[in-house]
Amino acid sequence: MTASSSATGPKTARCAAGGWRRALAAVLVTFSGLALTLAAMGLYSSLAYLVAQRRREIAVRVAIGSRPRDVVGLVLKEAVPVVGAGLLAGTLLSVPLTRLLGAQLYGVSPTDPITHVMIASIVAATAMAATVAPILRALRIELGRREVGLVGF
């Protein structure tokens, strides 16, 4: 057996192909994590902006006796439709797009319902985690002199 025949055998070709697929999978996982992080940051920033813009309204609501769950509902009323629309669009687009990447999936069908439910759950949990800080900020708002324009007194 010569050195050239052992180096180019079928086992070496399979290892090279497996390494390429692992590298591609690592790149896809990295970019997926980055996309999830960016989505969470975008949702957090838009909700934080909402709370900052509605600071006076929230302060007045708290001053006249609004319960904390009403304040939480006010913030969630803005977050849930955005998250729901994103989950719906992602689910609808994932079915045809996973067929394109079907060759890269190992041991999972492109239309596996458990995988789709797990991914949607991860995205929903990330979105709810992104809403925690704006909700807590909204709950800490109190009616002060600055909110009602009594700064000079």
Side-chain angles (χ1 to χ4, degrees), residues 34-104:
L34 182 62
L36 185 64
T37 302
L38 287 173
M41 287 172 49
L43 182 63
Y44 163 77
S45 62
S46 65
L47 288 176
Y49 180 74
L50 168 88
V51 169
Q53 291 296 313
R54 297 178 81 174
R55 185 176 184 88
R56 287 179 95 165
E57 175 192 348
I58 293 170
V60 169
R61 286 176 182 256
V62 169
I64 61 173
S66 183
R67 294 174 295 194
R69 74 174 168 176
D70 296 332
V71 175
V72 170
L74 186 70
V75 176
L76 286 179
K77 197 185 306 181
E78 300 290 330
V80 170
V82 172
V83 173
L87 285 173
L88 180 64
T91 302
L92 293 176
L93 289 173
S94 69
V95 174
L97 291 177
T98 52
R99 295 188 191 281
L100 295 173
L101 295 173
Q104 303 304 321

Side-chain angles (χ1 to χ4, degrees), residues 137-149:
R137 187 171 298 131
L139 289 174
R140 285 193 306 250
I141 293 174
E142 294 178 9
L143 187 63
R145 291 181 161 194
R146 216 175 53 151
E147 277 84 8
V148 293

Side-chain angles (χ1 to χ4, degrees), residues 125-140:
T126 303
M128 289 301 114
T131 63
V132 169
I135 287 174
L136 291 176
R137 187 171 298 131
L139 289 174
R140 285 193 306 250

